[in-house]
Amino acid sequence: MTPLAIRHVRITPIAFRDPPLLNAAGIHEPWALRSIIEIETACGRVGINETYGDLPMLEALAKAAPALQGLSPWDLITMEIRVAALVSPGQTGSEFLGEQISLAPGTHVSKNVAKVISAFEVAMLDLQGQLAGAPIVDLLGGAARDAVPFSAYLFFKYAEHIGQPYAADPWGEGLTPEQIVAQARQMIATYGFKSIKLKAGALPPEQEVQALLALAKAFPGAPLRIDPNANWTVATSLKVVEQLRGVLEYYEDPAPGLEGMAEVARQCEVPLATNMVVTDLKEFRRNVEMGCPVKIVLSDHHYWGGMRATQRLATMCQTFGLGLSMHSNSHLGISLMAMTHLAASVPQLSYACDTHFPWQDDEVVQGGRMSFEDGSLRVTHTPGLGVTLDREALARLHDNYLNTSIRQRDDLAQMRKYAPAFTGEQPRF
């Protein structure tokens, strides 16, 4: 084995605190799951990454890990071929864990191959950067921008979890327009975000409209977005967008399916964005064949197949005149920094990216939580990702995982602790 050959792949599941955030499927559980990937070469260098941590993903990662044995960190193509041969798109050895509702492809086992390739690719790129003495953004072609803008990501939420095993949520309740404005003021004061996104689809649309109108009044001129996660019918979607005339920067996933989005687009002047109906190149092609009812693709390298695949997506968006930004899930600093390197390498990034980062208070990298400047995160110039693991934090978050029974996110089951009759039926409004 040569000094640069990969000899170990370590996968460590972790859990960190997550507030009671409401969405179309229900409510976040008290613990969010992620996994930390470490790829070690024979000479002892270690590349890291952060990805999904649900049980089906952990099983897929474990099944694919032997594919890396003996590879060079530069051998990404062979890694992809081997992973695809070992991991079936819908493969999971675990039994189906309850009646669940998925809001995004990150939870779909159909994306397992793309998710595993991405998980290993970023860690291998981190190794490449260390060996080359260059940040990942340079490996991707260089930086189109020095800092990447992110958006304030607001949620309707309860004040605390039922039976929560930790201290009360510092953000407090967020159900009224006044509370949502206060939430935005706190988030913008802390991080400096310039644009605002409101997660909707949880409360009656009339209440959510009033919250967005209150935000428009409180933050005049700020770009505003709303995302009901396809929990509105076409009729409701059209009614809401009329009530929000002149307010929205874009309209994210109001109605279910590409057909529903197309029907909304035919009667709506606001551009539609998605992270639900254009999630791979096959769906991208279908959107184009339908005349591009979706005008903005919210990419996510975690399930699009990695950083290089997302760069190819960016080229496709440019070719067909579509906008591009980034979707987010509950994540920590490794994932956030990977997003930042990737977004910095894409010249045609059209809108500020999503991030759940403000909602988390834990961290797994040395130096603690990252600092935003005027709503943006600067790209690191140190080799690779530019972050290193905090071993004590990793051990603590892994202990959290071992001590919680959660093994797959289930917002529906969690919501039934508050409302036993909640069905999660979609579209609900």
Side-chain angles (χ1 to χ4, degrees), residues 14-18 30-32 34 330-332 360 362 397 400:
I14 63 173
F16 50 85
R17 293 175 291 189
D18 210 14
W31 298 97
R34 300 290 275 180
S330 300
H331 62 166
L332 299 178
Q360 271 68 67
D362 279 308
L397 297 185
N400 289 345

Side-chain angles (χ1 to χ4, degrees), residues 58-136:
L58 292 174
E59 292 173 345
L61 287 166
K63 187 170 184 177
L68 275 65
Q69 188 71 26
L71 288 183
S72 160
W74 303 92
D75 207 350
L76 297 174
I77 298 299
T78 301
M79 178 273 289
E80 293 178 359
I81 293 170
R82 289 183 179 182
V83 166
L86 286 174
V87 181
S88 300
Q91 169 266 337
T92 172
S94 62
E95 295 181 359
F96 185 69
L97 303 179
E99 176 194 359
Q100 300 176 39
I101 296 173
S102 297
L103 297 182
T107 60
H108 297 178
V109 293
S110 63
K111 302 293 187 186
N112 274 357
V113 172
K115 291 191 292 183
V116 173
I117 286 172
S118 175
F120 292 158
E121 181 211 53
V122 175
M124 290 172 73
L125 286 171
D126 185 32
L127 276 170
Q128 290 180 22
Q130 294 177 42
L131 293 168
I136 283 182

Side-chain angles (χ1 to χ4, degrees), residues 135-188:
I136 283 182
V137 67
D138 285 357
L139 301 179
L140 297 174
R145 56 189 59 81
D146 293 327
V148 173
F150 288 86
S151 176
Y153 199 165
L154 310 182
F155 280 80
F156 294 103
K157 62 184 296 296
Y158 294 148
E160 59 186 15
H161 284 290
I162 288 180
Q164 61 174 346
Y166 51 86
D169 170 23
W171 289 90
E173 185 180 79
L175 297 175
T176 68
E178 294 77 15
Q179 289 171 331
I180 292 297
V181 168
Q183 184 185 113
R185 290 194 191 283
Q186 181 178 348
M187 195 172 288
I188 290 171

Side-chain angles (χ1 to χ4, degrees), residues 49 51-52 76 79-80 111-123 125 136 140 279 299-314 326 338-339 342-343 345-346:
N49 189 27
T51 187
Y52 306 101
L76 297 174
M79 178 273 289
E80 293 178 359
K111 302 293 187 186
N112 274 357
V113 172
K115 291 191 292 183
V116 173
I117 286 172
S118 175
F120 292 158
E121 181 211 53
V122 175
L125 286 171
I136 283 182
L140 297 174
T279 65
S299 64
D300 189 325
H301 74 274
H302 298 89
Y303 64 73
W304 267 94
M307 292 180 160
R308 295 170 305 131
T310 306
Q311 285 190 311
R312 292 192 290 271
L313 168 65
M326 285 189 177
M339 290 174 63
L342 176 56
S345 77
V346 176

